[in-house]
Amino acid sequence: MKTPDPTTTSCYHCGEETDGRTLRSDGKTFCCQGCQSVYEILRSNELCSYYTYNAAPGKNRQSSEIPAYLADARIAATLLDYQDDHLSKVTFFVPGIHCSSCIWLLEGLHRLNPGILHSRTDFLKREVKISFDHRVVNLKEVADTLAAVGYPPLINLQDVVRENHSKTDDTLVRKIAVAGFCVGNVMLFSFPEYFGLSPFEGNLKVLFSYLNLALSIPVVFYCGRDFFTSALAGIRQAKMNLDAPLALIISTLFLRTLFEVVFQTGPGFADTLTGLVFLLLMGRYTRQRSYRHLSFNRDYRSYFPLAVTTINEGAERVTAVSDLQTGDRIRIRSGELVPADALLLQGAACLDMSFVTGESAPVTRSSGTVIYAGARQTAGPIELEILKPVQLSYLMSLWNDAGEPANGKSRSFNDRIAAAFSLVVVTLAVGAAAFWYAAGDQAKAWSAFTAVIIVACPCVLALSTPFTLSAVLSVFDKWGFYLKNTDAAEQLANCNEVVFDKTGTLTTSKGRRVNFSMSLTMGERQLLTALAACSLHPVSRQLCREAAFLKLIPVEDYKEVPGRGISGTVAGHQVCIGNADWVFGADDQSAGTHLLIDGAYKGSFSFSADWREGIAKLAAALAETAGIHVLSGDTAKDRQTLKKILPPGTRMRFGASPHAKLDYIASLQQAGRKVIMLGDGLNDAGALRQSDFGIAVTEDVNAFSPGCHAIMKADALAYLPRFAGLASDAMRIIKWSFVISSLYNCLGLYFAVQGTLYPLVAAVLMPLSTLTIVIFTSTAVRICAAKRRLSL
Amino acid sequence: MNILYFLVGCSLFMALVFLLAFFWASKTGQHEDTCTPAIRMLLDDELKKTDEDQVQD
């Protein structure tokens, strides 16, 4: 058991260096008030085992304010999973979960708060399911309990509209179970037939064949139903898909088995039938394979609050964001998001518009102007009047404007080949039947017709794509690249344009590096950071983030004038940060943000973009096969730097609004290009959705990223050319497996056209060809991955 | 060979029981989270009064 030695200067709770300034409690050191108070809470509740499972388990400790609107019963009800007269159940997303201590503590919440009855953690999803007695505690108090021990839940609008994926997944698993059950038993009952039964055992033969028939009924009508519905839907839309020939084969197999068993003319094909359906369902399952802890369908709701404060005849109340009506008056406090397009009525708005425009510098607005949804207020409280409901606001129209998700647009290789395949099979079958009919052997005509259809089964074709692509997906996820599904891998292979967002994609998500014009001592930086920590202005927050390792000192006489600057007394020093006008008094218009400590000028500072490493190499590698574009919501200030980094011929566009980004992608697509879009924020969401393959680049894959086809860890960005290369290798592998499966089909056809297909041949050919393909695809993908230096 | 009829019935019945057991497991969500239970079993359920002493050792 590892426990940190209390004499060292690292924090007992979070393990951070305490930097000399220590808080002590029970002979343990703490880096800050926050860590200490969590410890006090745990100690008073005898929950100190928390510290025994891991050293410094609080290293992900977060502190954030739980929104007050959770106390409102109507708002809380939208978040609850279940409620009866005394019991409520809720699922919270807790980003701080990272180790076994977290699980232990979160599952012991009932010791901290008697109103909490039970809690269960899902480690991968970072979720906690909590049952509580709502007569004792309300939802806000439950969330506060979590926040008090350093695990504040993240609450946003998307939680209310929870998608239910698990249900469809479950039925497929159940179908596979039924099919597996049937195929196993059918195999057992078919063996006697293969090995030959003596004449005394005629009764057994009849019994087994009827049992086989009985077992294939649920396989066809329950497990195989999807193939029929999908084939019918395809035919109705005059688009042949791979399910059409599969449905034809399943029904042929079943009808022939039915006839043979009822009229006792043969053993039937129950084994081939059940085996086929089982394998096909396995293929579907592989195709649906997804990362249960990642979400690819997020939209603006993940970023928006659940409720806002509305003012009705002078009285404040809480209203759910979705209930906001045109004409409602709302009050937005510092740090809150404007949830819908609104007219500014009162107060000085200093807005961070990075969600809407991607431009990070704040803008000031005076009353009477329209403020778009997604703007974040950074100064004092403001009052606004709603102009449009949330769903109709400017930013949300991104989701209405973007075309159908790209997956629906292009048909996969399988579907394209299915039509040709079906035609050939039907022609061959009719031809064989006609030949035997002309030769006067009606029984053989019927058996040749059905046998051709059975043997030409595109089973392997239906399996090779999901198996190959899922092998590719597992290579990708080892390297920090998570695809939404296997279909997405096929899209990736076809792309020939790459569009980058600038901020957060080409630059690190921190975005900027601070440059001081005069060198400062550590002590001076500390004073600045302490002052900047009081403000929500983006520049101040940036300054704080840069100096995250510095500990905070209390500030007195804090003063903030939006749009000008901040000042205050820190540890006895008078500190002043702001524009020239604020720092030197009037008349001075020199640019930049200036510093003044105890009346002495300490120069100015500015931020420069912090480019990701290896961008130049990445772009050069991509430029070999695709066109490179940069779309930025920012001003053109980085154009010259980018020109130096990126290969010649790169097209750049600055000052692009989210809609302009979307239109840019759409215009490329209209020119017949397939587009990969890499972005990170809400302002790229429309473009990500419109593109043929949208990649959300993120430092933390569990953090919220906008809806996309794939989520990529930022440090995997450099491997993008290899990923794309492997995806196109995979398409080649799929084509090769089609050739292999055709060889098997030809072998089977040799027996089939002669009308002498014995069930045993069919029953052996099918699993054999499937096995070949599974081995072939997985080895081939491994070899290709190793060649592209992406080995597992 | 009449015993075969009985045995066939038995084997089908047994297989059905397993199938239903699988359904039950999947319906009660036992396949939903396969990661956390593995960690949970390593943690102590009961709280010891001597937690503090252990920490100081």
PDB file of all heavy atoms in Angstrom, chain A residues 489-519:
ATOM      1  N   ALA A 489     -14.977   4.262 -41.754  1.00  0.00           N
ATOM      2  CA  ALA A 489     -13.649   3.927 -42.272  1.00  0.00           C
ATOM      3  C   ALA A 489     -13.653   3.925 -43.793  1.00  0.00           C
ATOM      4  O   ALA A 489     -12.685   4.317 -44.437  1.00  0.00           O
ATOM      5  CB  ALA A 489     -13.207   2.577 -41.743  1.00  0.00           C
ATOM      6  N   GLU A 490     -14.779   3.497 -44.365  1.00  0.00           N
ATOM      7  CA  GLU A 490     -14.903   3.466 -45.814  1.00  0.00           C
ATOM      8  C   GLU A 490     -14.901   4.892 -46.373  1.00  0.00           C
ATOM      9  O   GLU A 490     -14.325   5.158 -47.422  1.00  0.00           O
ATOM     10  CB  GLU A 490     -16.208   2.745 -46.177  1.00  0.00           C
ATOM     11  CG  GLU A 490     -16.132   2.056 -47.495  1.00  0.00           C
ATOM     12  CD  GLU A 490     -17.323   1.153 -47.728  1.00  0.00           C
ATOM     13  OE1 GLU A 490     -17.893   0.632 -46.762  1.00  0.00           O
ATOM     14  OE2 GLU A 490     -17.681   0.993 -48.904  1.00  0.00           O
ATOM     15  N   GLN A 491     -15.544   5.814 -45.631  1.00  0.00           N
ATOM     16  CA  GLN A 491     -15.566   7.215 -46.052  1.00  0.00           C
ATOM     17  C   GLN A 491     -14.154   7.793 -46.044  1.00  0.00           C
ATOM     18  O   GLN A 491     -13.767   8.527 -46.951  1.00  0.00           O
ATOM     19  CB  GLN A 491     -16.421   8.048 -45.088  1.00  0.00           C
ATOM     20  CG  GLN A 491     -17.865   7.653 -45.021  1.00  0.00           C
ATOM     21  CD  GLN A 491     -18.614   8.172 -46.219  1.00  0.00           C
ATOM     22  OE1 GLN A 491     -18.178   9.093 -46.880  1.00  0.00           O
ATOM     23  NE2 GLN A 491     -19.735   7.549 -46.499  1.00  0.00           N
ATOM     24  N   LEU A 492     -13.407   7.450 -45.022  1.00  0.00           N
ATOM     25  CA  LEU A 492     -12.060   8.004 -44.852  1.00  0.00           C
ATOM     26  C   LEU A 492     -11.187   7.656 -46.061  1.00  0.00           C
ATOM     27  O   LEU A 492     -10.382   8.459 -46.515  1.00  0.00           O
ATOM     28  CB  LEU A 492     -11.434   7.456 -43.560  1.00  0.00           C
ATOM     29  CG  LEU A 492     -10.001   7.858 -43.261  1.00  0.00           C
ATOM     30  CD1 LEU A 492      -9.889   9.362 -43.114  1.00  0.00           C
ATOM     31  CD2 LEU A 492      -9.504   7.184 -41.997  1.00  0.00           C
ATOM     32  N   ALA A 493     -11.375   6.434 -46.587  1.00  0.00           N
ATOM     33  CA  ALA A 493     -10.532   5.967 -47.687  1.00  0.00           C
ATOM     34  C   ALA A 493     -10.729   6.788 -48.951  1.00  0.00           C
ATOM     35  O   ALA A 493      -9.830   6.890 -49.774  1.00  0.00           O
ATOM     36  CB  ALA A 493     -10.822   4.499 -47.962  1.00  0.00           C
ATOM     37  N   ASN A 494     -11.915   7.384 -49.084  1.00  0.00           N
ATOM     38  CA  ASN A 494     -12.232   8.035 -50.358  1.00  0.00           C
ATOM     39  C   ASN A 494     -11.943   9.522 -50.403  1.00  0.00           C
ATOM     40  O   ASN A 494     -12.195  10.168 -51.408  1.00  0.00           O
ATOM     41  CB  ASN A 494     -13.727   7.845 -50.660  1.00  0.00           C
ATOM     42  CG  ASN A 494     -14.071   6.387 -50.814  1.00  0.00           C
ATOM     43  OD1 ASN A 494     -13.231   5.617 -51.266  1.00  0.00           O
ATOM     44  ND2 ASN A 494     -15.264   6.010 -50.409  1.00  0.00           N
ATOM     45  N   CYS A 495     -11.470  10.101 -49.294  1.00  0.00           N
ATOM     46  CA  CYS A 495     -11.394  11.556 -49.242  1.00  0.00           C
ATOM     47  C   CYS A 495     -10.182  12.092 -49.991  1.00  0.00           C
ATOM     48  O   CYS A 495      -9.123  11.487 -50.011  1.00  0.00           O
ATOM     49  CB  CYS A 495     -11.355  12.030 -47.796  1.00  0.00           C
ATOM     50  SG  CYS A 495     -12.964  11.853 -47.039  1.00  0.00           S
ATOM     51  N   ASN A 496     -10.362  13.272 -50.628  1.00  0.00           N
ATOM     52  CA  ASN A 496      -9.247  13.877 -51.341  1.00  0.00           C
ATOM     53  C   ASN A 496      -9.084  15.368 -51.064  1.00  0.00           C
ATOM     54  O   ASN A 496      -8.370  16.058 -51.772  1.00  0.00           O
ATOM     55  CB  ASN A 496      -9.365  13.611 -52.842  1.00  0.00           C
ATOM     56  CG  ASN A 496     -10.773  13.828 -53.340  1.00  0.00           C
ATOM     57  OD1 ASN A 496     -11.533  14.568 -52.708  1.00  0.00           O
ATOM     58  ND2 ASN A 496     -11.132  13.201 -54.433  1.00  0.00           N
ATOM     59  N   GLU A 497      -9.765  15.888 -50.052  1.00  0.00           N
ATOM     60  CA  GLU A 497      -9.517  17.264 -49.614  1.00  0.00           C
ATOM     61  C   GLU A 497      -9.445  17.236 -48.088  1.00  0.00           C
ATOM     62  O   GLU A 497     -10.217  16.530 -47.447  1.00  0.00           O
ATOM     63  CB  GLU A 497     -10.665  18.201 -50.021  1.00  0.00           C
ATOM     64  CG  GLU A 497     -10.886  18.345 -51.511  1.00  0.00           C
ATOM     65  CD  GLU A 497      -9.819  19.190 -52.198  1.00  0.00           C
ATOM     66  OE1 GLU A 497      -9.154  19.987 -51.507  1.00  0.00           O
ATOM     67  OE2 GLU A 497      -9.659  19.029 -53.418  1.00  0.00           O
ATOM     68  N   VAL A 498      -8.514  17.988 -47.523  1.00  0.00           N
ATOM     69  CA  VAL A 498      -8.420  18.051 -46.062  1.00  0.00           C
ATOM     70  C   VAL A 498      -8.555  19.504 -45.635  1.00  0.00           C
ATOM     71  O   VAL A 498      -7.823  20.367 -46.109  1.00  0.00           O
ATOM     72  CB  VAL A 498      -7.073  17.501 -45.562  1.00  0.00           C
ATOM     73  CG1 VAL A 498      -7.050  17.492 -44.044  1.00  0.00           C
ATOM     74  CG2 VAL A 498      -6.839  16.109 -46.100  1.00  0.00           C
ATOM     75  N   VAL A 499      -9.543  19.755 -44.777  1.00  0.00           N
ATOM     76  CA  VAL A 499      -9.771  21.116 -44.305  1.00  0.00           C
ATOM     77  C   VAL A 499      -9.466  21.172 -42.816  1.00  0.00           C
ATOM     78  O   VAL A 499     -10.001  20.390 -42.044  1.00  0.00           O
ATOM     79  CB  VAL A 499     -11.234  21.542 -44.559  1.00  0.00           C
ATOM     80  CG1 VAL A 499     -11.451  22.969 -44.104  1.00  0.00           C
ATOM     81  CG2 VAL A 499     -11.595  21.380 -46.024  1.00  0.00           C
ATOM     82  N   PHE A 500      -8.595  22.109 -42.445  1.00  0.00           N
ATOM     83  CA  PHE A 500      -8.260  22.275 -41.034  1.00  0.00           C
ATOM     84  C   PHE A 500      -8.938  23.507 -40.465  1.00  0.00           C
ATOM     85  O   PHE A 500      -9.013  24.530 -41.133  1.00  0.00           O
ATOM     86  CB  PHE A 500      -6.740  22.480 -40.867  1.00  0.00           C
ATOM     87  CG  PHE A 500      -5.927  21.254 -41.115  1.00  0.00           C
ATOM     88  CD1 PHE A 500      -5.312  21.045 -42.333  1.00  0.00           C
ATOM     89  CD2 PHE A 500      -5.767  20.313 -40.122  1.00  0.00           C
ATOM     90  CE1 PHE A 500      -4.551  19.924 -42.565  1.00  0.00           C
ATOM     91  CE2 PHE A 500      -4.994  19.180 -40.338  1.00  0.00           C
ATOM     92  CZ  PHE A 500      -4.391  18.985 -41.562  1.00  0.00           C
ATOM     93  N   ASP A 501      -9.367  23.383 -39.243  1.00  0.00           N
ATOM     94  CA  ASP A 501      -9.717  24.573 -38.483  1.00  0.00           C
ATOM     95  C   ASP A 501      -8.394  25.062 -37.890  1.00  0.00           C
ATOM     96  O   ASP A 501      -7.463  24.277 -37.740  1.00  0.00           O
ATOM     97  CB  ASP A 501     -10.710  24.173 -37.378  1.00  0.00           C
ATOM     98  CG  ASP A 501     -10.888  25.256 -36.363  1.00  0.00           C
ATOM     99  OD1 ASP A 501     -11.137  26.397 -36.768  1.00  0.00           O
ATOM    100  OD2 ASP A 501     -10.780  24.969 -35.160  1.00  0.00           O
ATOM    101  N   LYS A 502      -8.301  26.356 -37.585  1.00  0.00           N
ATOM    102  CA  LYS A 502      -7.012  26.814 -37.062  1.00  0.00           C
ATOM    103  C   LYS A 502      -6.918  26.661 -35.534  1.00  0.00           C
ATOM    104  O   LYS A 502      -6.173  25.832 -35.032  1.00  0.00           O
ATOM    105  CB  LYS A 502      -6.741  28.256 -37.472  1.00  0.00           C
ATOM    106  CG  LYS A 502      -5.293  28.675 -37.192  1.00  0.00           C
ATOM    107  CD  LYS A 502      -5.103  30.147 -37.385  1.00  0.00           C
ATOM    108  CE  LYS A 502      -5.887  30.893 -36.365  1.00  0.00           C
ATOM    109  NZ  LYS A 502      -5.337  31.906 -35.607  1.00  0.00           N
ATOM    110  N   THR A 503      -7.749  27.451 -34.829  1.00  0.00           N
ATOM    111  CA  THR A 503      -7.630  27.468 -33.374  1.00  0.00           C
ATOM    112  C   THR A 503      -8.053  26.131 -32.782  1.00  0.00           C
ATOM    113  O   THR A 503      -9.140  25.649 -33.061  1.00  0.00           O
ATOM    114  CB  THR A 503      -8.507  28.574 -32.782  1.00  0.00           C
ATOM    115  OG1 THR A 503      -8.420  29.696 -33.640  1.00  0.00           O
ATOM    116  CG2 THR A 503      -8.070  28.931 -31.384  1.00  0.00           C
ATOM    117  N   GLY A 504      -7.199  25.535 -31.995  1.00  0.00           N
ATOM    118  CA  GLY A 504      -7.561  24.285 -31.332  1.00  0.00           C
ATOM    119  C   GLY A 504      -7.246  23.056 -32.157  1.00  0.00           C
ATOM    120  O   GLY A 504      -7.230  21.957 -31.645  1.00  0.00           O
ATOM    121  N   THR A 505      -6.995  23.248 -33.471  1.00  0.00           N
ATOM    122  CA  THR A 505      -6.675  22.099 -34.305  1.00  0.00           C
ATOM    123  C   THR A 505      -5.219  22.191 -34.748  1.00  0.00           C
ATOM    124  O   THR A 505      -4.401  21.318 -34.442  1.00  0.00           O
ATOM    125  CB  THR A 505      -7.615  22.030 -35.512  1.00  0.00           C
ATOM    126  OG1 THR A 505      -8.946  22.110 -35.052  1.00  0.00           O
ATOM    127  CG2 THR A 505      -7.423  20.754 -36.275  1.00  0.00           C
ATOM    128  N   LEU A 506      -4.899  23.281 -35.447  1.00  0.00           N
ATOM    129  CA  LEU A 506      -3.495  23.496 -35.813  1.00  0.00           C
ATOM    130  C   LEU A 506      -2.708  24.042 -34.628  1.00  0.00           C
ATOM    131  O   LEU A 506      -1.523  23.793 -34.479  1.00  0.00           O
ATOM    132  CB  LEU A 506      -3.396  24.471 -36.987  1.00  0.00           C
ATOM    133  CG  LEU A 506      -3.855  23.929 -38.335  1.00  0.00           C
ATOM    134  CD1 LEU A 506      -3.727  24.980 -39.402  1.00  0.00           C
ATOM    135  CD2 LEU A 506      -3.067  22.699 -38.721  1.00  0.00           C
ATOM    136  N   THR A 507      -3.408  24.805 -33.777  1.00  0.00           N
ATOM    137  CA  THR A 507      -2.761  25.268 -32.552  1.00  0.00           C
ATOM    138  C   THR A 507      -3.224  24.362 -31.422  1.00  0.00           C
ATOM    139  O   THR A 507      -4.189  23.624 -31.572  1.00  0.00           O
ATOM    140  CB  THR A 507      -3.169  26.715 -32.230  1.00  0.00           C
ATOM    141  OG1 THR A 507      -4.561  26.734 -31.941  1.00  0.00           O
ATOM    142  CG2 THR A 507      -2.874  27.634 -33.384  1.00  0.00           C
ATOM    143  N   THR A 508      -2.551  24.411 -30.293  1.00  0.00           N
ATOM    144  CA  THR A 508      -3.005  23.608 -29.168  1.00  0.00           C
ATOM    145  C   THR A 508      -4.289  24.229 -28.634  1.00  0.00           C
ATOM    146  O   THR A 508      -4.583  25.388 -28.907  1.00  0.00           O
ATOM    147  CB  THR A 508      -1.966  23.580 -28.033  1.00  0.00           C
ATOM    148  OG1 THR A 508      -1.735  24.920 -27.639  1.00  0.00           O
ATOM    149  CG2 THR A 508      -0.684  22.958 -28.493  1.00  0.00           C
ATOM    150  N   SER A 509      -5.056  23.463 -27.876  1.00  0.00           N
ATOM    151  CA  SER A 509      -6.354  23.969 -27.460  1.00  0.00           C
ATOM    152  C   SER A 509      -6.194  25.103 -26.467  1.00  0.00           C
ATOM    153  O   SER A 509      -7.068  25.925 -26.302  1.00  0.00           O
ATOM    154  CB  SER A 509      -7.193  22.858 -26.860  1.00  0.00           C
ATOM    155  OG  SER A 509      -6.627  22.468 -25.662  1.00  0.00           O
ATOM    156  N   LYS A 510      -5.058  25.151 -25.815  1.00  0.00           N
ATOM    157  CA  LYS A 510      -4.801  26.308 -24.970  1.00  0.00           C
ATOM    158  C   LYS A 510      -4.669  27.521 -25.870  1.00  0.00           C
ATOM    159  O   LYS A 510      -4.993  28.622 -25.489  1.00  0.00           O
ATOM    160  CB  LYS A 510      -3.520  26.100 -24.151  1.00  0.00           C
ATOM    161  CG  LYS A 510      -3.730  25.194 -22.958  1.00  0.00           C
ATOM    162  CD  LYS A 510      -2.449  25.081 -22.156  1.00  0.00           C
ATOM    163  CE  LYS A 510      -2.007  23.637 -22.093  1.00  0.00           C
ATOM    164  NZ  LYS A 510      -0.592  23.461 -22.311  1.00  0.00           N
ATOM    165  N   GLY A 511      -4.218  27.262 -27.087  1.00  0.00           N
ATOM    166  CA  GLY A 511      -4.324  28.270 -28.135  1.00  0.00           C
ATOM    167  C   GLY A 511      -3.186  29.254 -28.182  1.00  0.00           C
ATOM    168  O   GLY A 511      -2.647  29.527 -29.229  1.00  0.00           O
ATOM    169  N   ARG A 512      -2.813  29.786 -27.070  1.00  0.00           N
ATOM    170  CA  ARG A 512      -1.860  30.876 -27.108  1.00  0.00           C
ATOM    171  C   ARG A 512      -0.725  30.695 -26.119  1.00  0.00           C
ATOM    172  O   ARG A 512      -0.867  30.023 -25.125  1.00  0.00           O
ATOM    173  CB  ARG A 512      -2.577  32.182 -26.757  1.00  0.00           C
ATOM    174  CG  ARG A 512      -3.169  32.868 -27.930  1.00  0.00           C
ATOM    175  CD  ARG A 512      -4.662  32.737 -27.901  1.00  0.00           C
ATOM    176  NE  ARG A 512      -5.267  32.796 -29.222  1.00  0.00           N
ATOM    177  CZ  ARG A 512      -5.551  33.913 -29.833  1.00  0.00           C
ATOM    178  NH1 ARG A 512      -5.266  35.056 -29.321  1.00  0.00           N
ATOM    179  NH2 ARG A 512      -6.122  33.886 -31.014  1.00  0.00           N
ATOM    180  N   ARG A 513       0.343  31.374 -26.415  1.00  0.00           N
ATOM    181  CA  ARG A 513       1.470  31.399 -25.502  1.00  0.00           C
ATOM    182  C   ARG A 513       1.664  32.860 -25.161  1.00  0.00           C
ATOM    183  O   ARG A 513       1.565  33.720 -26.020  1.00  0.00           O
ATOM    184  CB  ARG A 513       2.680  30.836 -26.233  1.00  0.00           C
ATOM    185  CG  ARG A 513       3.921  30.764 -25.401  1.00  0.00           C
ATOM    186  CD  ARG A 513       5.023  30.157 -26.211  1.00  0.00           C
ATOM    187  NE  ARG A 513       4.826  28.737 -26.460  1.00  0.00           N
ATOM    188  CZ  ARG A 513       5.408  28.092 -27.449  1.00  0.00           C
ATOM    189  NH1 ARG A 513       6.172  28.738 -28.295  1.00  0.00           N
ATOM    190  NH2 ARG A 513       5.215  26.810 -27.607  1.00  0.00           N
ATOM    191  N   VAL A 514       1.890  33.131 -23.895  1.00  0.00           N
ATOM    192  CA  VAL A 514       1.982  34.528 -23.497  1.00  0.00           C
ATOM    193  C   VAL A 514       3.421  35.024 -23.654  1.00  0.00           C
ATOM    194  O   VAL A 514       4.370  34.326 -23.320  1.00  0.00           O
ATOM    195  CB  VAL A 514       1.445  34.729 -22.057  1.00  0.00           C
ATOM    196  CG1 VAL A 514       2.269  33.964 -21.049  1.00  0.00           C
ATOM    197  CG2 VAL A 514       1.373  36.192 -21.686  1.00  0.00           C
ATOM    198  N   ASN A 515       3.571  36.187 -24.253  1.00  0.00           N
ATOM    199  CA  ASN A 515       4.889  36.790 -24.427  1.00  0.00           C
ATOM    200  C   ASN A 515       4.931  38.128 -23.702  1.00  0.00           C
ATOM    201  O   ASN A 515       4.133  39.019 -24.006  1.00  0.00           O
ATOM    202  CB  ASN A 515       5.177  37.042 -25.908  1.00  0.00           C
ATOM    203  CG  ASN A 515       5.107  35.769 -26.704  1.00  0.00           C
ATOM    204  OD1 ASN A 515       5.603  34.741 -26.270  1.00  0.00           O
ATOM    205  ND2 ASN A 515       4.459  35.833 -27.857  1.00  0.00           N
ATOM    206  N   PHE A 516       5.841  38.274 -22.758  1.00  0.00           N
ATOM    207  CA  PHE A 516       5.990  39.551 -22.063  1.00  0.00           C
ATOM    208  C   PHE A 516       7.051  40.381 -22.764  1.00  0.00           C
ATOM    209  O   PHE A 516       8.091  39.842 -23.172  1.00  0.00           O
ATOM    210  CB  PHE A 516       6.396  39.313 -20.601  1.00  0.00           C
ATOM    211  CG  PHE A 516       5.306  38.682 -19.782  1.00  0.00           C
ATOM    212  CD1 PHE A 516       5.284  37.306 -19.573  1.00  0.00           C
ATOM    213  CD2 PHE A 516       4.291  39.459 -19.253  1.00  0.00           C
ATOM    214  CE1 PHE A 516       4.285  36.726 -18.835  1.00  0.00           C
ATOM    215  CE2 PHE A 516       3.286  38.869 -18.502  1.00  0.00           C
ATOM    216  CZ  PHE A 516       3.268  37.503 -18.294  1.00  0.00           C
ATOM    217  N   SER A 517       6.802  41.679 -22.891  1.00  0.00           N
ATOM    218  CA  SER A 517       7.791  42.517 -23.576  1.00  0.00           C
ATOM    219  C   SER A 517       8.978  42.810 -22.660  1.00  0.00           C
ATOM    220  O   SER A 517      10.079  43.051 -23.117  1.00  0.00           O
ATOM    221  CB  SER A 517       7.150  43.813 -24.064  1.00  0.00           C
ATOM    222  OG  SER A 517       6.771  44.597 -22.958  1.00  0.00           O
ATOM    223  N   MET A 518       8.764  42.819 -21.350  1.00  0.00           N
ATOM    224  CA  MET A 518       9.885  42.970 -20.422  1.00  0.00           C
ATOM    225  C   MET A 518       9.906  41.719 -19.559  1.00  0.00           C
ATOM    226  O   MET A 518       8.867  41.159 -19.262  1.00  0.00           O
ATOM    227  CB  MET A 518       9.680  44.203 -19.534  1.00  0.00           C
ATOM    228  CG  MET A 518       9.874  45.506 -20.287  1.00  0.00           C
ATOM    229  SD  MET A 518       9.102  46.893 -19.466  1.00  0.00           S
ATOM    230  CE  MET A 518      10.258  47.228 -18.172  1.00  0.00           C
ATOM    231  N   SER A 519      11.107  41.299 -19.159  1.00  0.00           N
ATOM    232  CA  SER A 519      11.132  40.062 -18.373  1.00  0.00           C
ATOM    233  C   SER A 519      10.663  40.345 -16.948  1.00  0.00           C
ATOM    234  O   SER A 519      10.984  41.385 -16.375  1.00  0.00           O
ATOM    235  CB  SER A 519      12.534  39.459 -18.380  1.00  0.00           C
ATOM    236  OG  SER A 519      13.414  40.370 -17.784  1.00  0.00           O
TER     237      SER A 519
END
